[in-house]
Amino acid sequence: METKRNIKYFTAPPLSVLTIIGIVVMVVGVILFAFAEAMKFQSIIILFVGLCVTIFSSGGKANDTDLEYQAAERIKSLQEMAEKKYEVYEKHFLKMMKPIQIKGYDFEAKEEPFYYRKGADGKNRTNYYTGCNLIFTSEKLYIYGRRFSMTDELIDQEIAATYFYNELEKAELEENTYTTKKGDRTINVPVYVMKILKKDGTEALRMCVEYGSDIDKYIEQITRVIQVRQVELEKRAQETAERRAAFRKKIEEEKAAEARGELVE
């Protein structure tokens, strides 16, 4: 990962002095090309020089696309890694709920330094990122993920946990605000945290996510899976208990008949 370029993404001003110079030179070249007939060749050279300066000045800093690509590359194999770790494969997947992957920049990170920037594409980013893959089987929820820093290669953590559905309560979305200062201006950034809650009130999973229609859908689906599987597992447990009770009753009746000297078919 190109951590130095990523640090500059968060810390460098949008336009450096060299970039401004390059843009000015390009503008001069365009003006000369448009209005100075005798300087067509010179204006092309000036335009080219300005373009080179602009490209060179921005070459040491990552852009929005660079960060998105790096994050996507680091979480693209999460499901494959989860399947190998837990030895759970497609044949084990719950039919009513296929595996899902959630992701997002972490606004709750406690590590330092902590960087924030709103990209040219309008997306809010920090230098920490989390991706998680959730696999649903008939009895368990498997969680496997990765949390890492875009600016420090030493921060790269594995997220791994498994839960029986009867340990879980529901999934929900928490809406918070990240507040920061830019000069004299206060910036409030909406932050969305996806949580999977356990019955004891603690959190099986908590992570910042990119908000969209998929998240609302996932929250609803996960909660429904938990509820449906709990009912099914309780029903299965009750049926098993009833069969065991009937078997024990039969054994006791046979023993009682044997004690009385009766033959039980």
Side-chain angles (χ1 to χ4, degrees), residues 1-264:
M1 181 175 287
E2 301 179 17
T3 54
K4 291 183 178 179
R5 296 183 72 241
N6 293 346
I7 291 173
K8 289 182 179 180
Y9 171 88
F10 290 103
T11 60
L15 292 176
S16 66
V17 174
L18 198 58
T19 301
I20 294 173
I21 292 173
I23 293 173
V24 170
V25 172
M26 283 195 295
V27 171
V28 171
V30 170
I31 293 173
L32 290 176
F33 184 85
F35 299 104
E37 289 291 334
M39 298 186 65
K40 291 290 187 183
F41 179 72
Q42 292 91 330
S43 64
I44 292 174
I45 294 177
I46 293 172
L47 183 61
F48 179 74
V49 171
L51 179 63
C52 290
V53 171
T54 304
I55 293 174
F56 175 78
S57 64
S58 61
K61 180 177 70 172
N63 56 36
D64 299 336
T65 303
D66 292 333
L67 261 72
E68 291 299 301
Y69 175 77
Q70 291 174 50
E73 280 295 298
R74 296 185 76 170
I75 66 170
K76 69 179 183 180
S77 301
L78 286 181
Q79 181 169 324
E80 179 182 348
M81 296 168 69
E83 291 177 9
K84 289 181 179 178
K85 179 178 181 65
Y86 298 122
E87 296 184 353
V88 174
Y89 305 102
E90 188 172 354
K91 64 182 179 179
H92 303 112
F93 295 170
L94 193 63
K95 291 182 180 179
M96 68 179 289
M97 186 69 172
K98 300 301 181 185
I100 63 175
Q101 189 148 300
I102 51 179
K103 59 186 179 180
Y105 291 91
D106 187 0
F107 282 83
E108 296 186 331
K110 300 298 187 290
E111 297 93 341
E112 294 291 343
F114 181 88
Y115 300 124
Y116 158 77
R117 178 181 172 180
K118 185 173 185 177
D121 57 0
K123 189 171 185 176
N124 296 306
R125 295 181 175 87
T126 72
N127 55 316
Y128 299 96
Y129 196 90
T130 306
C132 266
N133 183 262
L134 308 181
I135 293 178
F136 306 83
T137 67
S138 60
E139 294 186 346
K140 285 184 178 182
L141 166 63
Y142 294 84
I143 301 172
Y144 187 80
R146 191 175 181 186
R147 180 184 177 275
F148 53 90
S149 170
M150 309 291 287
T151 56
D152 186 348
E153 292 183 350
L154 296 179
I155 299 177
D156 192 348
Q157 304 160 341
E158 180 186 64
I159 300 169
T162 63
Y163 296 96
F164 288 101
Y165 293 113
N166 56 17
E167 297 179 79
L168 302 175
E169 181 69 28
K170 62 179 179 177
E172 65 179 25
L173 192 67
E174 179 180 295
E175 297 184 31
N176 298 325
T177 301
Y178 168 71
T179 302
T180 187
K181 287 277 190 178
K182 187 174 184 181
D184 296 330
R185 188 160 56 97
T186 299
I187 301 174
N188 294 315
V189 181
V191 175
Y192 300 93
V193 180
M194 178 177 172
K195 301 188 296 184
I196 298 179
L197 301 176
K198 296 194 287 185
K199 284 188 174 180
D200 62 6
T202 59
E203 296 169 346
L205 177 67
R206 179 188 181 93
M207 62 174 284
C208 295
V209 294
E210 298 175 8
Y211 183 72
S213 58
D214 282 348
I215 290 300
D216 288 331
K217 180 179 69 175
Y218 292 155
I219 294 290
E220 182 181 342
Q221 289 178 337
I222 293 169
T223 299
R224 175 166 172 75
V225 166
I226 292 171
Q227 294 172 344
V228 170
R229 295 312 303 161
Q230 284 180 352
V231 170
E232 181 62 31
L233 291 173
E234 287 173 6
K235 180 181 177 182
R236 190 186 303 175
Q238 183 178 355
E239 291 174 348
T240 300
E242 289 174 353
R243 285 197 300 270
R244 287 176 178 172
F247 179 74
R248 285 196 297 269
K249 182 179 179 181
K250 180 181 178 182
I251 295 298
E252 289 171 359
E253 289 175 348
E254 289 178 351
K255 287 182 177 179
E258 185 178 351
R260 295 193 303 269
E262 299 176 3
L263 180 62
V264 180

